[in-house]
Amino acid sequence: MADMSVDFCGVKFKNPLIIASLETTNSPDLMRQCFDYGASGAIIKTLTDIEDMARLTQNSKYCVMNSKGDIIRGKAARDFVFYSRSGYSSTYYKDWIPDLIETQKYAAERGAHLIGSAGAKDVNGWKDICRTIEDCGLPMVELNFGCPHPAMMPGVHGGSMIGQEPEVAFEVTRQVCEAVDIPVVVKLTPDQAKPLEVAEAAKNAGAAAVTAINRYTGFVVDIDTGQPRIGGPAGIGGTWVKPLSLRWVHRIHEELGIPISGSNGIFDHRDVIEFIMAGANVVQVGSILMVKGLKWLPKMIDGVEAFMDEHGYETVEDMIGLASKKSVKDYSEQFSKNRIHAVVNDEKCKNPTCNICIQVCFYEALSQTQNGTVEVHENNCIGCELCLDVCPFDAITMNETSPQQLDAGFFNIPEDVFEKDKFQTARNNMETIRENSPKFNKEPAE
């Protein structure tokens, strides 16, 4: 059986799944439920001294949509969009002290950890909140430089506004790291062009890790009413954003080498594995629990363990950064890879009933014969793999092009790069397909 434990910033977690800082961690009872369901850690909803951010939580709004932008009105599918507006903890941070102590004790009895989260008015507030968290026995604190909502609150400076300025992020992180002895994690915002610079600033300031990445700020419209959803701009997440989140996990892992808590875009255990293989040491789950309930958590944990057993991974460490290590650093490395070309298995292919591969081949590398098969024109096939992706019958494979095949005329990049005498787009024209298809043309092939 796979070992699910992982070391993150010197703290051992029994599995890589941590509950993100949101409504599911806004009360001691909810956090106890998280630990009962198997979470290895839970990050409390951000503790604050900012009254307006507490008031915002008391006026929270949520909107869960499907891929068409309609309210789901039922179970959330994998492609859900979570659009919401919420603030920080609605309880003043000093009033949390007895509950922090008791909840951390409850977590420890179950081999888990309660993790702090801070968001303050000024640097002295940041330090005081983090000291309070440390004094209550919590083993780690996350600085919320990622929350998109302070920017919409008049007079509030915090969250993503700090996370967009490397110099400000550096100074707040530095002072907090000097004020406490527990590991400090900085939560990054994607609402900017500098997540990598802010991550580097946080690392240089003494942060033990970063969280990549918080939610984007979005704007959603209900076209039936002409009104904005939930009144206007809000934070947006859901599985659609996963590739964008993974981009930053990958880059931070490869370019900075700092430990990462992955976040934003997770539905089930497969997404957790993706974040780990991109470079995350642990993974935060949040939005999915808001729409599925806490009972979804053990399914995710069990799914990760089953995946590891099935694929022969003995430890989580075996998977961390696995895909990132295999990734090209830039496109020039991709250009140096060996050429490939499409091969069609006529026995599996359902042509002429199906011809989607021909329709989407914009390099004129596929055509339909009058015998009802798909022909590959290797001199045009650049190996883009689009036909492979759209084929519903697993009838296409991509084979490596040998030197002998390249000499015989298979597609290769011209020496002068720029192509001449570009081919005419005729083969994927529907009139041509119908003309050559025995499905439409009843005349026997000559």
Side-chain angles (χ1 to χ4, degrees), residues 75 325 343 418:
K75 292 183 177 180
K325 292 181 179 67
V343 176
F418 290 105

Side-chain angles (χ1 to χ4, degrees), residues 114-391:
L114 177 60
I115 301 170
S117 176
K121 293 179 182 178
D122 54 38
V123 71
N124 288 327
W126 284 98
K127 291 192 290 185
D128 196 39
I129 293 172
C130 292
R131 286 195 196 102
T132 300
I133 288 168
E134 181 179 40
D135 291 344
C136 289
L138 277 61
M140 186 178 297
V141 63
E142 182 179 79
L143 307 185
N144 193 345
F145 293 173
C147 181
H149 306 299
M152 294 295 294
M153 296 295 294
V156 175
H157 184 85
S160 62
M161 299 169 75
I162 294 177
Q164 294 179 50
E165 298 296 336
E167 297 81 7
V168 179
F170 174 89
E171 188 57 27
V172 174
T173 303
R174 182 188 67 80
Q175 293 204 36
V176 169
C177 288
E178 290 178 354
V180 300
D181 293 325
I182 57 177
V184 174
V185 181
V186 169
K187 193 167 191 177
L188 304 172
T189 175
D191 277 352
Q192 52 153 320
K194 314 177 199 177
L196 202 68
E197 292 180 36
V198 175
E200 185 173 21
K203 179 182 179 181
N204 293 338
V210 295
T211 296
I213 199 162
N214 210 320
R215 297 193 300 154
Y216 293 78
T217 303
F219 187 79
V220 178
V221 177
D222 178 354
I223 64 171
D224 292 321
T225 63
Q227 296 290 328
R229 299 281 191 193
I230 65 172
I236 188 162
T239 50
W240 69 272
V241 80
K242 179 177 63 176
L244 304 179
S245 302
L246 290 175
R247 170 198 179 192
W248 294 117
V249 173
H250 161 66
R251 288 199 62 187
I252 293 168
H253 174 76
E254 286 297 296
E255 297 179 41
L256 299 181
I258 189 171
I260 301 168
S261 177
S263 178
N264 199 5
I266 294 149
F267 181 85
D268 60 17
H269 73 279
R270 297 184 62 84
D271 305 308
V272 173
I273 298 295
E274 281 196 54
F275 271 86
I276 292 172
M277 289 185 173
N281 303 74
V282 293
V283 178
Q284 296 184 19
V285 293
S287 298
I288 185 59
L289 302 182
M290 293 286 289
V291 299
K292 288 283 192 181
L294 292 177
K295 67 181 184 300
W296 190 251
L297 180 61
K299 295 181 180 180
M300 300 175 74
I301 297 171
D302 292 345
V304 172
E305 184 174 31
F307 176 91
M308 291 176 65
D309 287 338
E310 181 181 346
H311 291 79
Y313 294 109
E314 296 182 0
T315 68
V316 175
E317 183 68 32
D318 293 339
M319 300 188 294
I320 295 175
L322 185 64
S324 282
K325 292 181 179 67
K326 298 176 181 177
S327 172
V328 298
K329 299 299 184 291
D330 58 46
Y331 290 156
S332 65
E333 289 187 36
Q334 188 69 46
F335 298 162
S336 66
K337 289 180 176 290
N338 293 336
R339 309 299 300 173
I340 58 176
H341 63 276
V343 176
V344 178
N345 184 325
D346 291 338
E347 294 183 3
K348 290 184 176 181
C349 180
K350 302 302 180 184
N351 188 271
T353 303
C354 174
N355 50 45
I356 184 62
C357 62
I358 302 172
Q359 293 184 53
V360 303
C361 181
F362 298 101
Y363 297 93
E364 294 288 279
L366 300 177
S367 67
Q368 186 166 257
T369 71
Q370 291 187 346
N371 294 322
T373 60
V374 175
E375 182 178 358
V376 180
H377 302 272
E378 292 90 352
N379 60 320
N380 279 343
C381 180
I382 69 168
C384 73
E385 302 186 38
L386 185 56
C387 60
L388 174 73
D389 293 342
V390 302
C391 177

